[in-house]
Amino acid sequence: MSVQFSGWEVVDDGASFPGVKLGSSQKPQNRGVYTMYHGTSVANARLIIANGFKQSSGGTLGRGVYVSRDKSKASSYPLNSNPSDRVVLELRVRVGRVKRIDKDNHPMQFTWSSHGYDTAWVPPNCGMKAVPSGREEDCVFDPKRVKVVGIAKAPNTTIEKELQQLIGKRSRRKDGGGGGGGAHVCSLCKRKTQQGAQHDKQQCWKCGKNICILMSKHFCSAKP
């Protein structure tokens, strides 16, 4: 039996989003933008949302902000803490130039940033004893490359709602308080656009539905 298809689906190679996301075992592409996660305490989550990330003083990959595309990895942090005090932040990360670190005592394990790399990436199940979980780990040198966009996990709905409100307040401040010239959202593709620079829209050649040329996915509903 043949199957007819009209429409498209964009596969995200790391250069844009949304779309079909690359798995944690697939190498982050240079200059890509990824959804990643960071596990922290409730108190630290409030500080991060309000003030942004700060570099850690050290760690498996040296200084930087530690994140992962693997939500389960982030869910185990802070280590040895009570689950009732764990929050997983959802992030948008601009990885820049990526260096793969896949073995213990790698010559650039702690010096990758001084060689012009923006992010160090430990692939899952690479055998590094320094990452006993076997799950992906990333370290972003510049905290400005990491933005909190949501709450992936919280101890309860009250804390989740509070943190989401803090994210909303910070976003409104950055957009100028919602005044003229701020960001708007396209009603079709749901991406941000600027006032006076709306996205181009057209009709699907098959079903006639209005679509935006920047939509990542459109499945035509017309019957053959």
Side-chain angles (χ1 to χ4, degrees), residues 30 97-101 106 108 112 117 119-122:
N30 288 335
R97 192 174 177 218
V98 179
K99 178 61 183 176
R100 177 186 176 113
I101 305 294
H106 189 286
M108 288 192 198
W112 47 272
Y117 292 96
T119 298
W121 170 58
V122 177

Side-chain angles (χ1 to χ4, degrees), residues 25 31 39 61 65 90 143-144 161 206:
S25 61
R31 299 181 300 280
L61 299 167
V65 178
E90 181 179 341
K144 292 181 180 178
K161 185 176 180 180
K206 182 74 173 179

Side-chain angles (χ1 to χ4, degrees), residues 41-55:
S41 66
V42 174
N44 282 341
R46 295 188 183 107
L47 291 173
I48 291 169
I49 293 169
N51 305 311
F53 279 96
K54 294 182 179 180
Q55 278 189 338

Side-chain angles (χ1 to χ4, degrees), residues 54-55 62-65 112-114 117-120 139-146:
K54 294 182 179 180
Q55 278 189 338
R63 293 168 54 198
V65 178
W112 47 272
S113 61
S114 64
Y117 292 96
D118 302 294
T119 298
C139 184
V140 183
F141 189 75
D142 185 356
K144 292 181 180 178
R145 290 183 169 274
V146 184

Side-chain angles (χ1 to χ4, degrees), residues 153-172:
K153 187 177 181 180
N156 54 62
T157 55
T158 300
I159 292 175
E160 181 179 4
K161 185 176 180 180
E162 175 205 344
L163 296 178
Q164 291 284 14
Q165 288 175 341
L166 289 175
I167 293 172
K169 288 179 180 178
R170 180 171 173 81
S171 296
R172 286 193 292 272

Side-chain angles (χ1 to χ4, degrees), residues 2-219:
S2 63
V3 177
Q4 290 190 342
F5 171 78
S6 296
W8 66 82
E9 182 173 14
V10 175
V11 176
D12 185 356
D13 65 355
S16 62
F17 60 87
V20 179
K21 298 173 185 174
L22 292 175
S24 61
S25 61
Q26 295 175 282
K27 179 182 178 180
Q29 303 299 301
N30 288 335
R31 299 181 300 280
V33 180
Y34 291 89
T35 295
M36 294 192 183
Y37 304 94
H38 176 83
T40 189
S41 66
V42 174
N44 282 341
R46 295 188 183 107
L47 291 173
I48 291 169
I49 293 169
N51 305 311
F53 279 96
K54 294 182 179 180
Q55 278 189 338
S56 67
S57 58
T60 303
L61 299 167
R63 293 168 54 198
V65 178
Y66 283 80
V67 295
S68 178
R69 284 179 290 172
D70 189 334
K71 190 189 300 184
S72 66
K73 166 88 171 182
S75 298
S76 61
Y77 286 84
L79 294 174
N80 304 317
S81 66
N82 193 313
S84 64
D85 191 35
R86 287 179 180 171
V87 172
V88 177
L89 301 174
E90 181 179 341
L91 316 169
R92 285 284 183 271
V93 181
R94 296 181 294 110
V95 295
R97 192 174 177 218
V98 179
K99 178 61 183 176
R100 177 186 176 113
I101 305 294
D102 55 6
K103 61 182 179 181
D104 291 298
N105 301 314
H106 189 286
M108 288 192 198
Q109 184 169 341
F110 304 106
T111 61
W112 47 272
S113 61
S114 64
H115 289 269
Y117 292 96
D118 302 294
T119 298
W121 170 58
V122 177
N125 304 313
C126 66
M128 282 186 70
K129 294 179 181 178
V131 186
S133 68
R135 292 176 287 189
E136 178 192 275
E137 186 163 310
D138 305 84
C139 184
V140 183
F141 189 75
D142 185 356
K144 292 181 180 178
R145 290 183 169 274
V146 184
K147 178 183 178 182
V148 180
V149 297
I151 305 302
K153 187 177 181 180
N156 54 62
T157 55
T158 300
I159 292 175
E160 181 179 4
K161 185 176 180 180
E162 175 205 344
L163 296 178
Q164 291 284 14
Q165 288 175 341
L166 289 175
I167 293 172
K169 288 179 180 178
R170 180 171 173 81
S171 296
R172 286 193 292 272
R173 287 199 303 270
K174 286 194 171 184
D175 290 339
H184 292 253
V185 176
C186 174
S187 61
L188 296 177
C189 74
K190 307 304 180 185
R191 294 170 183 251
K192 286 186 178 180
T193 182
Q194 293 297 317
Q195 189 176 20
Q198 301 301 315
H199 293 173
D200 290 334
K201 300 177 178 65
Q202 61 188 43
Q203 287 187 322
C204 172
W205 58 87
K206 182 74 173 179
C207 66
K209 183 178 179 180
N210 285 331
I211 56 177
C212 172
I213 63 171
L214 296 180
M215 289 170 61
S216 63
K217 183 183 296 184
H218 170 63
F219 294 113

